[in-house]
Amino acid sequence: MATEDWLRTYRGKRDFERTREPSGQPAATPGGRPRFVVQIHDARRMHFDFRLQVGDVLKSWAVPRGPSSDPGDRRLAVPTEDHPLEYEDFEGVIPKGEYGGGTVIVWDRGTYEPLSHDRAGRPVDFAESVEHGHAGFRLHGAKLHGEYALTRFRSAQDEEEAWLLVRKGPAGRADGHGSPDPRRARSVRTGRTLAQVAADAGQD
Ligand code: MN
């Protein structure tokens, strides 16, 4: 999708007079490895937003239960609209009544290594692998480390498009704590919980 098209979708849902989310500036030239971010979003339904930089956008999935460090857990991931790269910094309160109204913290972020390859083991362009519904990658975050994969199991033609986010590796091996409790989890940026970010926003 051309930049103007996805940005129009993203901007069309938001009133930037009311929300402090970024409106989307022209992308900075990214150097080095692509970025990922996982935000916790206390919206109508609590969820995690899992975002991977692909080119000049953050490809995004809403993951209701969050990523698990246990390969035995398969987590539902529902695609949402592409977000601008600077969204990885966004932490704060989206006003009630606005699109996605609720509190957001940056739970984890870092870089990732694309690992996608075809059946013959040859590396595949990452954007293409996402397009085709299966992408493998190794996360280098403050909290999330290791190999994960996102796989589409239901296409938009049927009903709501749906993917699974799975930790790769021997089942039963968890090097984290499964999934974080979203209400107790802290921002990797500021160390704050959702409740603290909400309280701080109320004081501006
Ligand atoms: Mn969200």
Side-chain angles (χ1 to χ4, degrees), residues 143-167:
K143 294 166 180 161
L144 295 176
H145 309 277
E147 204 177 319
Y148 286 78
L150 271 163
T151 306
R152 182 164 55 216
F153 69 90
R154 198 168 68 205
S155 71
Q157 284 121 327
D158 305 326
E159 31 187 330
E160 190 181 39
E161 185 178 329
W163 297 54
L164 289 174
L165 174 64
V166 182
R167 174 73 200 273

mmCIF file of all heavy atoms in Angstrom, residues 143-167:
data_model
loop_
_atom_site.group_PDB
_atom_site.id
_atom_site.type_symbol
_atom_site.label_atom_id
_atom_site.label_comp_id
_atom_site.label_asym_id
_atom_site.label_seq_id
_atom_site.Cartn_x
_atom_site.Cartn_y
_atom_site.Cartn_z
ATOM 1 N N LYS A 143 12.430 -7.159 27.132
ATOM 2 C CA LYS A 143 11.712 -8.250 27.805
ATOM 3 C C LYS A 143 11.575 -9.476 26.914
ATOM 4 O O LYS A 143 11.711 -10.601 27.381
ATOM 5 C CB LYS A 143 10.325 -7.771 28.225
ATOM 6 C CG LYS A 143 10.382 -6.687 29.298
ATOM 7 C CD LYS A 143 9.045 -5.987 29.473
ATOM 8 C CE LYS A 143 9.150 -4.913 30.550
ATOM 9 N NZ LYS A 143 8.074 -3.920 30.465
ATOM 10 N N LEU A 144 11.254 -9.261 25.668
ATOM 11 C CA LEU A 144 11.064 -10.380 24.742
ATOM 12 C C LEU A 144 12.360 -10.668 23.998
ATOM 13 O O LEU A 144 12.969 -9.758 23.427
ATOM 14 C CB LEU A 144 9.958 -10.054 23.734
ATOM 15 C CG LEU A 144 8.547 -9.872 24.290
ATOM 16 C CD1 LEU A 144 7.589 -9.446 23.180
ATOM 17 C CD2 LEU A 144 8.050 -11.163 24.937
ATOM 18 N N HIS A 145 12.760 -11.939 24.038
ATOM 19 C CA HIS A 145 13.949 -12.377 23.317
ATOM 20 C C HIS A 145 13.587 -13.680 22.631
ATOM 21 O O HIS A 145 12.841 -14.469 23.187
ATOM 22 C CB HIS A 145 15.106 -12.673 24.265
ATOM 23 C CG HIS A 145 15.385 -11.575 25.217
ATOM 24 N ND1 HIS A 145 16.150 -10.485 24.902
ATOM 25 C CD2 HIS A 145 14.974 -11.388 26.491
ATOM 26 C CE1 HIS A 145 16.209 -9.674 25.935
ATOM 27 N NE2 HIS A 145 15.498 -10.198 26.925
ATOM 28 N N GLY A 146 14.182 -13.919 21.498
ATOM 29 C CA GLY A 146 14.015 -15.221 20.871
ATOM 30 C C GLY A 146 13.114 -15.187 19.666
ATOM 31 O O GLY A 146 12.657 -14.137 19.219
ATOM 32 N N GLU A 147 12.879 -16.415 19.182
ATOM 33 C CA GLU A 147 12.249 -16.576 17.889
ATOM 34 C C GLU A 147 10.734 -16.700 18.026
ATOM 35 O O GLU A 147 10.241 -17.461 18.863
ATOM 36 C CB GLU A 147 12.817 -17.849 17.261
ATOM 37 C CG GLU A 147 12.741 -17.873 15.770
ATOM 38 C CD GLU A 147 13.385 -19.146 15.214
ATOM 39 O OE1 GLU A 147 14.449 -19.569 15.726
ATOM 40 O OE2 GLU A 147 12.804 -19.710 14.278
ATOM 41 N N TYR A 148 10.033 -15.966 17.187
ATOM 42 C CA TYR A 148 8.568 -15.992 17.147
ATOM 43 C C TYR A 148 8.128 -16.116 15.698
ATOM 44 O O TYR A 148 8.908 -15.858 14.776
ATOM 45 C CB TYR A 148 7.985 -14.706 17.728
ATOM 46 C CG TYR A 148 8.069 -14.608 19.238
ATOM 47 C CD1 TYR A 148 9.258 -14.268 19.873
ATOM 48 C CD2 TYR A 148 6.943 -14.866 20.034
ATOM 49 C CE1 TYR A 148 9.337 -14.179 21.256
ATOM 50 C CE2 TYR A 148 7.017 -14.779 21.416
ATOM 51 C CZ TYR A 148 8.214 -14.433 22.018
ATOM 52 O OH TYR A 148 8.291 -14.355 23.391
ATOM 53 N N ALA A 149 6.862 -16.491 15.523
ATOM 54 C CA ALA A 149 6.297 -16.494 14.176
ATOM 55 C C ALA A 149 4.861 -16.005 14.229
ATOM 56 O O ALA A 149 4.141 -16.221 15.207
ATOM 57 C CB ALA A 149 6.351 -17.886 13.576
ATOM 58 N N LEU A 150 4.479 -15.319 13.190
ATOM 59 C CA LEU A 150 3.095 -14.883 12.987
ATOM 60 C C LEU A 150 2.560 -15.606 11.769
ATOM 61 O O LEU A 150 3.184 -15.574 10.702
ATOM 62 C CB LEU A 150 3.063 -13.375 12.731
ATOM 63 C CG LEU A 150 2.958 -12.465 13.946
ATOM 64 C CD1 LEU A 150 3.357 -11.043 13.570
ATOM 65 C CD2 LEU A 150 1.550 -12.494 14.541
ATOM 66 N N THR A 151 1.431 -16.273 11.922
ATOM 67 C CA THR A 151 0.862 -17.060 10.825
ATOM 68 C C THR A 151 -0.626 -16.761 10.668
ATOM 69 O O THR A 151 -1.386 -16.846 11.640
ATOM 70 C CB THR A 151 1.041 -18.573 11.110
ATOM 71 O OG1 THR A 151 2.423 -18.820 11.377
ATOM 72 C CG2 THR A 151 0.597 -19.412 9.920
ATOM 73 N N ARG A 152 -1.010 -16.416 9.462
ATOM 74 C CA ARG A 152 -2.435 -16.148 9.199
ATOM 75 C C ARG A 152 -3.177 -17.475 9.080
ATOM 76 O O ARG A 152 -2.734 -18.375 8.370
ATOM 77 C CB ARG A 152 -2.558 -15.356 7.893
ATOM 78 C CG ARG A 152 -3.996 -14.968 7.543
ATOM 79 C CD ARG A 152 -4.030 -13.889 6.480
ATOM 80 N NE ARG A 152 -3.293 -14.264 5.310
ATOM 81 C CZ ARG A 152 -2.573 -13.421 4.557
ATOM 82 N NH1 ARG A 152 -2.504 -12.151 4.845
ATOM 83 N NH2 ARG A 152 -1.912 -13.865 3.509
ATOM 84 N N PHE A 153 -4.276 -17.614 9.810
ATOM 85 C CA PHE A 153 -5.053 -18.861 9.683
ATOM 86 C C PHE A 153 -6.459 -18.606 9.166
ATOM 87 O O PHE A 153 -7.188 -19.532 8.876
ATOM 88 C CB PHE A 153 -5.087 -19.635 11.003
ATOM 89 C CG PHE A 153 -5.891 -18.989 12.101
ATOM 90 C CD1 PHE A 153 -7.234 -19.280 12.249
ATOM 91 C CD2 PHE A 153 -5.296 -18.098 12.974
ATOM 92 C CE1 PHE A 153 -7.987 -18.688 13.254
ATOM 93 C CE2 PHE A 153 -6.039 -17.496 13.972
ATOM 94 C CZ PHE A 153 -7.380 -17.790 14.119
ATOM 95 N N ARG A 154 -6.844 -17.343 9.067
ATOM 96 C CA ARG A 154 -8.163 -17.029 8.528
ATOM 97 C C ARG A 154 -8.028 -15.756 7.714
ATOM 98 O O ARG A 154 -7.472 -14.777 8.193
ATOM 99 C CB ARG A 154 -9.146 -16.826 9.671
ATOM 100 C CG ARG A 154 -10.594 -16.919 9.280
ATOM 101 C CD ARG A 154 -11.478 -17.006 10.503
ATOM 102 N NE ARG A 154 -11.451 -15.764 11.241
ATOM 103 C CZ ARG A 154 -11.711 -15.653 12.544
ATOM 104 N NH1 ARG A 154 -11.975 -16.726 13.266
ATOM 105 N NH2 ARG A 154 -11.683 -14.486 13.123
ATOM 106 N N SER A 155 -8.495 -15.798 6.475
ATOM 107 C CA SER A 155 -8.336 -14.632 5.604
ATOM 108 C C SER A 155 -9.546 -13.726 5.718
ATOM 109 O O SER A 155 -10.592 -14.109 6.228
ATOM 110 C CB SER A 155 -8.142 -15.068 4.161
ATOM 111 O OG SER A 155 -9.361 -15.578 3.674
ATOM 112 N N ALA A 156 -9.385 -12.485 5.232
ATOM 113 C CA ALA A 156 -10.450 -11.481 5.342
ATOM 114 C C ALA A 156 -11.670 -11.864 4.516
ATOM 115 O O ALA A 156 -12.757 -11.360 4.730
ATOM 116 C CB ALA A 156 -9.919 -10.121 4.925
ATOM 117 N N GLN A 157 -11.517 -12.767 3.544
ATOM 118 C CA GLN A 157 -12.667 -13.167 2.723
ATOM 119 C C GLN A 157 -13.697 -13.912 3.567
ATOM 120 O O GLN A 157 -14.879 -13.815 3.322
ATOM 121 C CB GLN A 157 -12.245 -14.074 1.555
ATOM 122 C CG GLN A 157 -11.593 -13.322 0.419
ATOM 123 C CD GLN A 157 -10.189 -13.835 0.151
ATOM 124 O OE1 GLN A 157 -9.502 -14.248 1.084
ATOM 125 N NE2 GLN A 157 -9.775 -13.826 -1.097
ATOM 126 N N ASP A 158 -13.201 -14.705 4.512
ATOM 127 C CA ASP A 158 -14.121 -15.486 5.344
ATOM 128 C C ASP A 158 -14.870 -14.565 6.293
ATOM 129 O O ASP A 158 -16.011 -14.261 6.107
ATOM 130 C CB ASP A 158 -13.370 -16.559 6.130
ATOM 131 C CG ASP A 158 -12.559 -17.455 5.201
ATOM 132 O OD1 ASP A 158 -13.035 -17.680 4.071
ATOM 133 O OD2 ASP A 158 -11.473 -17.893 5.584
ATOM 134 N N GLU A 159 -14.170 -14.130 7.327
ATOM 135 C CA GLU A 159 -14.772 -13.175 8.250
ATOM 136 C C GLU A 159 -13.658 -12.227 8.665
ATOM 137 O O GLU A 159 -13.015 -11.657 7.796
ATOM 138 C CB GLU A 159 -15.412 -13.897 9.431
ATOM 139 C CG GLU A 159 -14.684 -15.193 9.773
ATOM 140 C CD GLU A 159 -15.366 -16.030 10.826
ATOM 141 O OE1 GLU A 159 -16.043 -15.459 11.694
ATOM 142 O OE2 GLU A 159 -15.189 -17.255 10.823
ATOM 143 N N GLU A 160 -13.431 -12.059 9.962
ATOM 144 C CA GLU A 160 -12.353 -11.194 10.392
ATOM 145 C C GLU A 160 -11.026 -11.929 10.192
ATOM 146 O O GLU A 160 -10.892 -13.086 10.586
ATOM 147 C CB GLU A 160 -12.545 -10.853 11.880
ATOM 148 C CG GLU A 160 -11.621 -9.770 12.361
ATOM 149 C CD GLU A 160 -11.823 -9.489 13.851
ATOM 150 O OE1 GLU A 160 -12.030 -10.448 14.627
ATOM 151 O OE2 GLU A 160 -11.760 -8.323 14.227
ATOM 152 N N GLU A 161 -10.075 -11.247 9.551
ATOM 153 C CA GLU A 161 -8.766 -11.865 9.345
ATOM 154 C C GLU A 161 -8.133 -12.160 10.703
ATOM 155 O O GLU A 161 -8.239 -11.361 11.632
ATOM 156 C CB GLU A 161 -7.867 -10.918 8.555
ATOM 157 C CG GLU A 161 -6.526 -11.527 8.194
ATOM 158 C CD GLU A 161 -5.671 -10.586 7.357
ATOM 159 O OE1 GLU A 161 -6.228 -9.790 6.584
ATOM 160 O OE2 GLU A 161 -4.438 -10.657 7.505
ATOM 161 N N ALA A 162 -7.495 -13.317 10.830
ATOM 162 C CA ALA A 162 -6.912 -13.687 12.116
ATOM 163 C C ALA A 162 -5.596 -14.433 11.925
ATOM 164 O O ALA A 162 -5.429 -15.202 10.981
ATOM 165 C CB ALA A 162 -7.897 -14.542 12.907
ATOM 166 N N TRP A 163 -4.665 -14.172 12.828
ATOM 167 C CA TRP A 163 -3.341 -14.769 12.816
ATOM 168 C C TRP A 163 -3.068 -15.393 14.185
ATOM 169 O O TRP A 163 -3.782 -15.123 15.149
ATOM 170 C CB TRP A 163 -2.266 -13.698 12.572
ATOM 171 C CG TRP A 163 -2.333 -12.981 11.257
ATOM 172 C CD1 TRP A 163 -3.405 -12.320 10.720
ATOM 173 C CD2 TRP A 163 -1.251 -12.831 10.325
ATOM 174 N NE1 TRP A 163 -3.057 -11.766 9.505
ATOM 175 C CE2 TRP A 163 -1.745 -12.054 9.238
ATOM 176 C CE3 TRP A 163 0.079 -13.259 10.300
ATOM 177 C CZ2 TRP A 163 -0.948 -11.715 8.146
ATOM 178 C CZ3 TRP A 163 0.867 -12.916 9.212
ATOM 179 C CH2 TRP A 163 0.356 -12.164 8.141
ATOM 180 N N LEU A 164 -1.999 -16.195 14.241
ATOM 181 C CA LEU A 164 -1.504 -16.691 15.516
ATOM 182 C C LEU A 164 -0.078 -16.190 15.721
ATOM 183 O O LEU A 164 0.732 -16.200 14.793
ATOM 184 C CB LEU A 164 -1.490 -18.222 15.546
ATOM 185 C CG LEU A 164 -2.853 -18.902 15.619
ATOM 186 C CD1 LEU A 164 -2.689 -20.416 15.486
ATOM 187 C CD2 LEU A 164 -3.577 -18.551 16.923
ATOM 188 N N LEU A 165 0.196 -15.748 16.931
ATOM 189 C CA LEU A 165 1.551 -15.367 17.331
ATOM 190 C C LEU A 165 2.076 -16.466 18.240
ATOM 191 O O LEU A 165 1.466 -16.764 19.273
ATOM 192 C CB LEU A 165 1.528 -14.027 18.069
ATOM 193 C CG LEU A 165 2.860 -13.570 18.669
ATOM 194 C CD1 LEU A 165 3.910 -13.312 17.584
ATOM 195 C CD2 LEU A 165 2.657 -12.311 19.512
ATOM 196 N N VAL A 166 3.178 -17.097 17.834
ATOM 197 C CA VAL A 166 3.691 -18.256 18.569
ATOM 198 C C VAL A 166 5.181 -18.109 18.813
ATOM 199 O O VAL A 166 5.943 -17.704 17.921
ATOM 200 C CB VAL A 166 3.440 -19.570 17.773
ATOM 201 C CG1 VAL A 166 3.935 -20.780 18.551
ATOM 202 C CG2 VAL A 166 1.969 -19.725 17.439
ATOM 203 N N ARG A 167 5.608 -18.448 19.999
ATOM 204 C CA ARG A 167 7.021 -18.538 20.319
ATOM 205 C C ARG A 167 7.550 -19.838 19.729
ATOM 206 O O ARG A 167 6.928 -20.897 19.885
ATOM 207 C CB ARG A 167 7.190 -18.557 21.855
ATOM 208 C CG ARG A 167 8.598 -18.798 22.328
ATOM 209 C CD ARG A 167 9.459 -17.577 22.106
ATOM 210 N NE ARG A 167 10.871 -17.934 22.115
ATOM 211 C CZ ARG A 167 11.618 -18.010 23.206
ATOM 212 N NH1 ARG A 167 11.068 -17.762 24.378
ATOM 213 N NH2 ARG A 167 12.894 -18.319 23.124
#
